[in-house]
Amino acid sequence: MESQIAEIECELKCALEKVSWLPGFYAIPPEIQIAGSKAYQQGKIYGIDAASGAAILALDVRPGDHVLDLCAAPGAKLCMLADMLGSTGSLTGVDVAKHRLAACRTMLQKYSLGDHTRLFVADGTLFSLLPVNFSLRRMEGSIDLEENGSTFSEWTSKRSWKDRQKTKKANATSSQHLHLTSEPELIYYGKHSGLVGLRKCDVLCPSADDEASTSGYDKVLVDAECTHDGSIKHIQKFEFWGWKTLDRRVLDAERSDNLLHLQLRLITNGFKLLKTGGSLVYSTCSLTVAQNENVVQQFLSTHPSADLQKIDSANNWPCRSGGIPKTLRFDPATSQTSGLFVAKFTKVPT
């Protein structure tokens, strides 16, 4: 490991400073670009803001967990989750934008982290598919497997003529983002994701309201769409995008109202898919109270089975308390990171 670090330092022409409060993380100066380095191109390193890494650690992923990332793109957090799971459990990534989820697929393959992963193009507020272990139990009670629909063979990037024509037709009649009424589209599944050999009708069957409490995900990450006003890199882009873009994406009141509604729906659906005793982390890279504390308060007021948890691993993190006890806030002044709000919930029996 030390020899690899020395090699990367030599190539990047800077020292890698170990992040004491974040295991496996190294800090580099902000002006250093890693994308052109061999270490990055060969899948030895990837870049992620330290605050985002903390949000993943807050989930406390354990071997064998079934994990759901409900807003998976652009993919760095997804890769970190897959890295933590290793060769156990399962990881389900969901995103409404197909081109962004395809980039996640590329990242997983680049870093050889996709073996236990499946990726669905879907609306995160409506997604209702449970982990593979539930599909297995569903199959145990069925008969005549061959007559009840086709099964998943090993995934390949080479698609049949029939699949290509189906995609071509779908693209001609739909926009880049998924229509709310369409079913989830599976665009990748790893060799050990548990899908190979299962019937498609079982895997793609939506869950009933009460099934998730016993058969849902152990951990759910809802890193929700937001105005990104706490992301230093994102805000810097407006220098090139211009004032009109900033006004439309960050300052527009109607967009802000729509985002709040979306964020509440995302955390609500993520919690619905969580099993009793499981944990959910809600995060945004916004500094606003409206997109963070207000969303948490609204959610808690309508979900008596949601218990806001203290994040045990955060005792030595360079962050401050949020406006609600047990929530956390990272910001450039306090943390030397981008802004990030983190709240963790557990589903308790009702």
Side-chain angles (χ1 to χ4, degrees):
M1 183 65 180
E2 292 301 322
S3 61
Q4 276 191 329
I5 290 170
E7 186 181 316
I8 294 168
E9 287 179 327
C10 183
E11 186 184 359
L12 295 179
K13 296 182 175 59
C14 73
L16 299 186
E17 183 183 343
K18 189 173 285 189
V19 180
S20 60
W21 54 277
L22 209 54
F25 273 66
Y26 293 83
I28 59 173
E31 68 273 10
I32 299 296
Q33 300 294 318
I34 67 171
S37 68
K38 285 184 181 178
Y40 178 80
Q41 292 168 357
Q42 293 172 358
K44 294 178 181 177
I45 58 174
Y46 59 85
I48 182 173
D49 194 274
S52 297
I56 300 299
L57 282 188
L59 258 185
D60 192 25
V61 171
R62 301 296 178 93
D65 276 349
H66 296 286
V67 182
L68 171 64
D69 186 349
L70 204 54
C71 310
K77 294 185 186 73
L78 187 76
C79 283
M80 187 172 169
L81 286 169
D83 208 6
M84 292 172 75
L85 278 172
S87 59
T88 67
S90 71
L91 176 60
T92 300
V94 175
D95 204 272
V96 73
K98 186 173 182 177
H99 66 293
R100 282 164 58 81
L101 198 66
C104 293
R105 178 179 62 198
T106 301
M107 280 189 73
L108 287 169
Q109 292 173 307
K110 173 184 175 180
Y111 293 104
S112 301
L113 290 171
D115 256 12
H116 290 252
T117 305
R118 53 185 191 160
L119 299 177
F120 290 97
V121 181
D123 181 348
T125 67
L126 299 173
F127 184 74
S128 61
L129 303 184
L130 295 181
V132 171
N133 59 335
F134 176 69
S135 300
L136 288 169
R137 285 199 291 274
R138 180 185 279 146
M139 285 188 68
E140 286 173 1
S142 62
I143 56 172
D144 299 330
L145 297 188
E146 295 300 322
E147 296 178 11
N148 282 339
S150 58
T151 59
F152 285 101
S153 55
E154 195 168 318
W155 186 85
T156 173
S157 58
K158 296 178 181 178
R159 296 177 300 160
S160 66
W161 179 87
K162 185 177 179 181
D163 284 340
R164 290 198 303 271
Q165 291 301 109
K166 184 178 179 182
T167 301
K168 188 176 179 181
K169 184 177 180 182
N171 288 341
T173 57
S174 67
S175 63
Q176 187 88 55
H177 282 56
L178 205 67
H179 284 304
L180 298 183
T181 54
S182 57
E183 66 178 20
E185 179 186 354
L186 182 65
I187 67 164
Y188 176 77
Y189 54 95
K191 188 175 183 180
H192 301 294
S193 62
L195 293 188
V196 178
L198 292 188
R199 294 182 305 172
K200 295 180 180 180
C201 61
D202 281 319
V203 173
L204 301 177
C205 179
S207 59
D209 286 346
D210 59 340
E211 290 173 333
S213 60
T214 55
S215 304
Y217 295 89
D218 300 288
K219 307 287 165 61
V220 175
L221 175 67
V222 181
D223 185 46
E225 174 67 18
C226 68
T227 51
H228 303 287
D229 55 273
S231 169
I232 298 169
K233 284 191 174 182
H234 202 86
I235 291 298
Q236 285 173 336
K237 293 176 183 178
F238 289 110
E239 183 179 347
F240 304 98
W241 291 343
W243 173 259
K244 287 185 178 179
T245 306
L246 176 66
D247 188 41
R248 187 178 75 251
R249 293 194 180 184
V250 179
L251 306 178
D252 181 71
E254 185 179 350
R255 170 169 160 75
S256 296
D257 288 344
N258 290 339
L259 272 176
L260 299 181
H261 183 59
L262 172 64
Q263 289 157 351
L264 189 57
R265 291 177 67 201
L266 284 168
I267 190 174
T268 298
N269 193 46
F271 192 75
K272 178 182 174 182
L273 296 170
L274 187 68
K275 71 189 302 184
T276 300
S279 299
L280 179 148
V281 163
Y282 173 77
S283 62
T284 84
C285 59
S286 171
L287 298 173
T288 67
V289 171
Q291 296 177 67
N292 297 309
E293 284 90 347
N294 287 4
V295 170
V296 167
Q297 285 179 326
Q298 286 186 62
F299 171 69
L300 287 172
S301 69
T302 55
H303 290 81
S305 62
D307 185 26
L308 194 57
Q309 293 283 299
K310 179 180 181 292
I311 300 172
D312 294 327
S313 54
N315 289 336
N316 64 336
W317 290 357
C319 57
R320 57 188 174 87
S321 176
I324 300 174
K326 300 178 183 177
T327 64
L328 301 176
R329 279 185 172 273
F330 290 82
D331 62 68
T334 306
S335 320
Q336 286 76 57
T337 66
S338 285
L340 197 80
F341 173 87
V342 186
K344 182 177 182 178
F345 306 85
T346 294
K347 182 182 277 189
V348 297
T350 54

